[in-house]
Amino acid sequence: MISEQKIRAFLFYLGVFIFLAGLPFILSFAVGYKFDPHKFKFTKTGIIVIKTQPANASVYLNNALLRDKTPLTINELLPAKYNLKIELDKYYSWAREVEVEKGKVSRLEKIILFPLRPHIKQLNKERLSSFWIDATDNNIYYVNQDDSSIYTSNLEGENYKQVAPFIAITPPPVKFRLSPDKQKLLYFNKHQVAISSLTRRRDAASQEEPFILNYPGEGLADVFWHSDSYHLIIISDRKIQAREARTDSPAVDLVNLSRKNSDVFFDTDTDTLYFTDYQQAGDGNIYNNLYKIELNTKTFLLQNLIGTKDKEDEQ
Amino acid sequence: MNNSLKIKRLLEILPGAISWGTLTLLIALAIWQPLACAIFVIIFEFYWIIRTLYLTTLLAMAHRKLYSQKNRDWLADCLKVDPVRGCAKYHLIIFPVYKEGLDILRPSLEALRQSRYPKQKMVVVMAFEERNPNARQAAATLEAEFRDDFFGYLSTFHPDGIPGETRTKGANATWAAKQAKEFLFAKNIPYEEVIVSCFDADTCVDKEYFSCLTYHFLTNPKPHQASYQPIPVYNNNVWYAPSFARLVEISSSFCQMIDGMRVERFVTFSSHSMSFKTLVDIDYWPVNMISDDSIVYWKAYLFYNGDYRVIPLYITVSMDVAYSSSFFRTISIQYKQKRRWAWGVENVPFVIGSFLNNNGTPFLKKLRRSYHLLESHVTWAIWAVIITLIAPLPILLHRSFFNQVSIGYNLPKITGMLLNFTAITSFAWIILSRLTLPKRPADVKWGKNIIMIMEWVIVPVVILILGSTPALDAQTRLLLGKYMEFNPTEKTRKK
C-alpha cells in the first residue's frame, strides 16, 4: 500500500508540474499568442469585439459565416485586414474592412443596424401646425392654429390633451420656449413674442389669456426665459434687452450690438448670457469677441472673455 | 539596545514588512505598471488555484483518516500494545479558566467524566485566575460535582502580577502545572508516566480521546519528543452561531486538518497534549506570550534540537464558535479572536531568534522551518487582499488601456475560469463540512441545513474581513512594537 506521505509528495510535485507546464500556456493566451501551424511558431494575435443594436445579427468574416451571433468576440485572429459583414433580416447590412493588430482589441461596439422599413407612428390626434418637445419632462407640445390651442402628450403620444390657448402670430413662430417653472410657453417670429399660460391660476376662473409683445422695427433673433420664469431676455438685431413678461412692462437695454446675427447662448441655470460682438481695437482692426453678462446679480458684469479668433478688416 | 535585542526587533518587523511591502508593491504596479501587475495577478491566481486544489485533496485525505478511525476502540488497542501498562499512563488535564461560566465549564468536565479511559488515571486541574472575583465560588461548585470522579482534582488560583509574567493563558497554565507537579510528586507518580493536556475551557473531548492519545504515546518510539494534536472542531454551538462565525471556525478546523497532513510543518494549536516530563524540562508554557499553544511546541523543538514533532490525532475535541447575541458584537469577538490567533506571528522573532543561538538543530531544518513559519503568516495576511482587492485594480485604474489590448479582454476570462476551479473546492469543502457537523438539535429547524450550505457564498468576504485583516493588524502591531495583550474570547452557549 502506498504511504500517505508518498501520495502527498506525488500530489505536491504534480501541482508543481501543472503550475510550471500550464503557466506559459495561460500567459501566452492572456497576452494573445496563438500557435500558427503554417509558420510553425507562436504568433501574437488580436481580437475583434462586436456589439450590434439590435443584437443577434449574423457575422461574416472574410465571407465565412461565423457560428455565433452578435454580440460576439472573435479571438486569436492573426494580424491582418479582415472583411467584416453583419446581416440581420429586415435591416440594412453593415460592412467594413477591419484591421487586426497583434495584441490589440478592435472594438466595434457602436454598430447600429437600421431597419429597412422603420416603424412610423403618428402622435398627434388633432391638426398640427408645429410642435415643441420638452425632454426634461418627457412632454410633447402641439400647436394647432386652426382651433388656436396648444395640446400636450407624453413622448408616445399618449395622454393627449389641450393645455393652453394659442394666439396666432404671422409669420408663424420660429421657436418655442417653455418657462423654467413649466407654467408658460413663449413663441416668437421676427417681430412678435407671444406668451401662453399653461396652467389655471387658483384665484381665476379662467386661464390667463395669451398676449403678444410687439417689436415692429426690430428683427428678433432669440428670446430666453430668465430662471425666475418672469423675465425675458430678448435678442434682436442690434440690442440685448431684458423685460418682464407683461405687456405693460418697459424693456431695458442691456447691450447695443455692433453686429447683426450675433451668436448667443443663455445658460438658464446661472442666468448668464454669452454673446459675440465686434469691437474696434487700437490697431484699427475689428475683432469678433465673446462676452458674457451675468443676469443673476444686481450689477450686470460685462466681461471680455476671450480675444477674437476671427480677425476682420475694418470696413 | 544590544545586538540580540536589535535582531529580535528586526525579526518582529520582518513579517509585517514583507506583507505590507508586497501589497504596496502590487498597488504601485497596478498604478504605474498595470500590464506587469495584470501578469502577476494571473500567475498568482494560477498558483493559488493549484495550491487550493492540492490542499483540498489533503483535507479530503484527512477526513478519510478521521472517519476510518471514528469507531475505533482505542482502549482495546492500548491494551493490545501493552496488556499490563496499556492503561497505566496518567493524564494531567489542565483547563485554564478566566471568565468562562459554569455553563461552559460543566460540559467540559462532563465530557471528561464520559471518557472511556480509566478516570483513576486522570488528574484534572481547573486553573482559575485569582483576579476573577467569581473564581472561588465556581471552583467550589465544580469541585462538589466532579472531584470524586477522578484520581485527582485540583482547583488552582493563579495570582495576578507575578514578576516576569503578563496576563496570558500560558502564565495561568504554568502556575497550574507547577501545582500539579507538587501533587504528582506527593503521590509519587513519576513525570515520565504523565501525559499533560492543556485544554481551552470550552473543550469537550471525545470519549476515546485519552485512549487514542495513550495509544499514540505508547506506539511512538520517542514519546517525550512529540506533541499530540487533536482536530479542533467547533461543534458545541455550531448550529446556533451566525453564518460568518461558523464559516470562520469551520475553515479553522479544516486548516488544522490540512496542516495535520503536512507533518513537517505542523505546529500545536489550541487544545493539545504532550509529555509532562518534556513540559517540565522546557520550563512549562511561556508566561509572557499570547501564543502559548505554539510557543510551547517551539520550546520543545529547540530543547530537542529539532528532533521533536507534532503527531496529528484523528480524533476531535469540540469547542465553541465564538459569538454573541448581537451581529456587530460577534464580528468584534471573531475579529479579536482571529487577531489573537494571528498574533502567533510573534513566533517568528522567537523561533528565528532562537535558531540563531541554537547550534544543535541542522541548518537546513532551521531554514525550512523558518521559511514555513514566515510564509504561512505572510500568506495568511495577503492572499485574500491580492485576490479580492488588488486583482481588479489594473483594469479599474486603466480601463481605456485594457480595452485596447488582448490581455485586458482575456484577464477577466482567465480570472473567471480559474476562480471557477475554486467553486469545485468550495463544493468539496461544503460536503466535508457536512460530514463533521453534529446532529441537528431538535429546536433548530430543518431549513438551517439550506442556510448552512448557501452561506458558503460569503466565504470571500468573510476571509477578507476575518482572515487577512486581523492578520495584517497583528503583523502591523508587531512591526510597530505595539504588543498585544491577551484578550480571552467571549463564549456564548444556547441554554
Side-chain angles (χ1 to χ4, degrees), chain A residues 15-247:
Chain A
V16 172
F17 174 76
I18 292 172
F19 178 76
L20 294 176
L23 192 60
F25 285 96
I26 287 187
L27 284 180
S28 58
F29 171 72
V31 294
Y33 277 96
K34 177 191 179 184
F35 186 71
D36 184 351
H38 302 297
K39 295 178 182 170
F40 206 73
K41 65 172 188 179
F42 280 97
T43 310
K44 207 168 187 181
T45 61
I47 293 172
I48 298 178
V49 176
I50 304 168
K51 284 182 186 168
T52 60
Q53 181 68 35
N56 214 28
S58 302
V59 178
Y60 293 84
L61 187 72
N62 286 348
N63 297 320
L65 175 64
L66 302 183
R67 193 181 57 186
D68 295 331
K69 302 205 168 185
T70 61
L72 91 160
T73 301
I74 313 169
N75 285 304
E76 298 183 335
L77 290 170
L78 293 171
K81 287 182 177 172
Y82 292 87
N83 290 315
L84 197 66
K85 189 175 182 186
I86 298 172
E87 287 186 352
L88 183 62
D89 193 27
K90 296 181 182 170
Y91 287 82
Y92 286 100
S93 61
W94 181 99
R96 206 179 105 181
E97 188 180 71
V98 180
E99 182 165 10
V100 172
E101 295 176 70
K102 58 184 179 183
K104 296 277 179 68
V105 179
S106 302
R107 292 186 178 270
L108 306 167
E109 297 177 317
K110 293 178 180 172
I111 299 172
I112 298 177
L113 300 174
F114 294 100
L116 293 170
R117 299 186 63 185
H119 173 68
I120 300 171
K121 180 182 177 183
Q122 182 182 327
L123 298 179
N124 65 305
K125 306 287 191 288
E126 307 287 336
R127 292 190 67 177
L128 179 71
S129 303
S130 56
F131 73 99
W132 159 256
I133 290 181
D134 177 20
T136 56
D137 271 11
N138 294 329
N139 279 333
I140 304 174
Y141 292 92
Y142 308 81
V143 175
N144 182 345
Q145 293 203 30
D146 288 354
D147 65 359
S148 299
S149 292
I150 298 170
Y151 296 82
T152 186
S153 77
N154 64 19
L155 296 180
E156 290 301 315
E158 295 156 351
N159 302 328
Y160 190 87
K161 62 187 177 197
Q162 188 184 18
V163 287
F166 173 77
I167 185 165
I169 53 175
T170 307
V174 291
K175 270 184 193 169
F176 294 83
R177 291 203 189 276
L178 198 60
S179 62
D181 63 2
K182 318 286 184 192
Q183 308 285 302
K184 285 174 265 186
L185 182 71
L186 74 76
Y187 36 98
F188 62 93
N189 58 23
K190 207 73 176 158
H191 301 289
Q192 289 176 304
V193 180
I195 296 173
S196 292
S197 172
L198 298 178
T199 55
R200 289 176 185 279
R201 290 193 319 205
R202 283 182 197 165
D203 57 347
S206 62
Q207 200 153 21
E208 201 173 304
E209 290 298 321
F211 58 91
I212 293 175
L213 306 171
N214 289 306
Y215 287 81
E218 298 170 72
L220 293 175
D222 215 333
V223 183
F224 301 100
W225 285 104
H226 189 273
S227 64
D228 64 7
S229 298
Y230 185 65
H231 286 85
L232 301 175
I233 314 300
I234 295 160
I235 318 296
S236 63
D237 286 345
R238 290 290 176 187
K239 282 180 187 171
I240 296 175
Q241 292 179 310
R243 66 173 294 166
E244 294 172 4
R246 290 163 42 201
T247 50

Side-chain angles (χ1 to χ4, degrees), chain B residues 116-300:
Chain B
R116 288 188 66 219
Y117 195 82
K119 261 69 79 186
Q120 60 273 34
K121 295 288 181 185
M122 288 187 184
V123 177
V124 177
V125 184
M126 297 305 287
F128 293 92
E129 290 284 4
E130 200 168 64
R131 65 179 183 274
N132 177 10
N134 302 321
R136 301 262 171 200
Q137 192 184 345
T141 307
L142 293 172
E143 264 187 54
E145 286 181 44
F146 293 99
R147 70 176 308 155
D148 297 333
D149 292 311
F150 305 101
F151 172 73
Y153 184 100
L154 306 175
S155 296
T156 61
F157 302 91
H158 172 233
D160 206 15
I162 295 176
E165 287 191 358
T166 52
R167 287 180 165 181
T168 57
K169 194 182 85 179
N172 186 7
T174 296
W175 175 267
K178 287 177 178 172
Q179 305 289 306
K181 183 185 163 192
E182 288 175 19
F183 174 84
L184 295 168
F185 184 76
K187 297 286 181 188
N188 220 7
I189 299 169
Y191 307 149
E192 290 82 355
E193 294 301 310
V194 181
I195 306 169
V196 59
S197 299
C198 185
F199 289 157
D200 285 359
D202 56 338
T203 304
C204 296
V205 293
D206 188 283
K207 64 181 189 304
E208 289 286 348
Y209 176 74
F210 291 102
S211 310
C212 174
L213 171 61
T214 310
Y215 174 83
H216 281 90
F217 194 86
L218 290 173
T219 52
N220 186 356
K222 294 178 180 174
H224 301 289
Q225 288 171 235
S227 289
Y228 304 85
Q229 177 69 55
I231 295 168
V233 291
Y234 298 85
N235 284 350
N236 291 353
N237 55 356
V238 70
W239 282 95
Y240 301 102
S243 292
F244 64 91
R246 183 167 43 238
L247 285 172
V248 171
E249 305 296 29
I250 290 172
S251 303
S252 303
S253 289
F254 283 3
C255 288
Q256 274 299 297
M257 293 176 82
I258 291 166
D259 279 351
M261 296 297 292
R262 302 190 291 174
V263 285
E264 76 283 353
R265 57 190 295 166
F266 200 22
V267 177
T268 45
F269 168 77
S270 187
S271 299
H272 63 274
S273 308
M274 64 189 294
S275 153
F276 188 62
K277 177 190 174 298
T278 303
L279 183 69
V280 174
D281 287 344
I282 63 170
D283 196 23
Y284 307 94
W285 290 277
V287 294
N288 57 356
M289 297 179 87
I290 290 172
S291 51
D292 56 275
D293 49 356
S294 49
I295 291 287
V296 72
Y297 162 79
W298 288 113
K299 284 177 77 175

Side-chain angles (χ1 to χ4, degrees), chain A residues 257-274:
Chain A
L257 298 168
S258 305
R259 60 169 284 190
K260 272 188 170 185
N261 302 322
S262 287
D263 297 321
V264 179
F265 174 80
F266 185 69
D267 181 357
T268 317
D269 292 337
T270 58
D271 284 327
T272 306
L273 181 74
Y274 299 82

Side-chain angles (χ1 to χ4, degrees), chain A residues 4-5 7-8 11-12 15 18-19 22-23 26-27 29-32 45 47 73 75 103-105 107, chain B residues 39 42-43 46-47 50 54 57-58 61 65 261-264 403-407 409-410 413-414 418:
Chain A
E4 188 181 86
Q5 289 308 307
I7 295 173
R8 222 197 91 200
L11 289 172
F12 177 80
I18 292 172
F19 178 76
L23 192 60
I26 287 187
L27 284 180
F29 171 72
V31 294
T45 61
I47 293 172
T73 301
N75 285 304
K104 296 277 179 68
V105 179
R107 292 186 178 270
Chain B
I39 287 171
I42 292 171
I43 295 170
F46 187 46
Y47 157 75
I50 290 173
Y54 167 66
T57 312
L58 296 189
M61 288 166 68
K65 281 185 84 170
M261 296 297 292
R262 302 190 291 174
V263 285
E264 76 283 353
N403 265 341
Q404 303 302 320
V405 293
S406 299
I407 193 169
Y409 181 79
N410 289 330
K413 277 173 71 176
I414 291 169
L418 292 176

Side-chain angles (χ1 to χ4, degrees), chain B residues 234 238 240-252 320-324 327 330-331 333-334 337-338 455 458 462 466:
Chain B
Y234 298 85
V238 70
Y240 301 102
S243 292
F244 64 91
R246 183 167 43 238
L247 285 172
V248 171
E249 305 296 29
I250 290 172
S251 303
S252 303
D320 284 20
V321 177
Y323 78 96
S324 177
F327 174 79
T330 303
I331 288 187
I333 290 170
Q334 278 285 337
Q337 187 190 43
K338 299 304 165 289
E455 70 195 13
I458 62 169
V462 171
L466 295 173

